[in-house]
Amino acid sequence: MSPLTGSDTRARTGARPTARTRTRTGDADAMAVTGFVLGLVGLLVMNLILGPTAVVLGALALRRRTTRPGRARLGIALGLADLAVLGCLVTADGTWSWGLA
């Protein structure tokens, strides 16, 4: 196998990834996943806090070039859905949270 084949990125590009680049990409991936999870949980509880947090984390992950852009976009979409659910709750019965009574 020649040094120019395979999955070794350094051999193909000649560039070595720095620790800062790996950390930044890892942080962006973590933000994408966290935004997705918070958006999903926010559909059930704490819409007012978790919805905007999911939107911000998803947008930051996309801006930092995450390797999981689909997950970041889902976080943004779910965060906006959280806010839509909150708007429906407030409009329907004037409450800021779910209620069974």
Side-chain angles (χ1 to χ4, degrees):
M1 179 185 301
S2 84
L4 298 178
T5 60
S7 63
D8 188 14
T9 305
R10 288 184 295 170
R12 284 185 275 157
T13 63
R16 293 186 346 176
T18 63
R20 183 174 184 201
T21 304
R22 285 186 297 238
T23 302
R24 188 170 183 166
T25 303
D27 289 346
D29 291 347
M31 284 184 201
V33 172
T34 303
F36 171 73
V37 170
L38 290 179
L40 197 58
V41 172
L43 288 173
L44 301 175
V45 295
M46 296 179 18
N47 311 63
L48 183 62
I49 296 167
L50 297 181
T53 304
V55 171
V56 169
L57 286 173
L60 282 173
L62 287 175
R63 183 171 172 87
R64 292 184 179 188
R65 308 255 189 236
T66 180
T67 59
R68 300 170 186 249
R71 188 93 22 107
R73 288 186 193 105
L74 277 173
I76 293 171
L78 287 170
L80 293 174
D82 292 348
L83 296 176
V85 167
L86 179 65
C88 291
L89 286 172
V90 170
T91 303
D93 59 358
T95 185
W96 289 91
S97 64
W98 293 93
L100 298 175

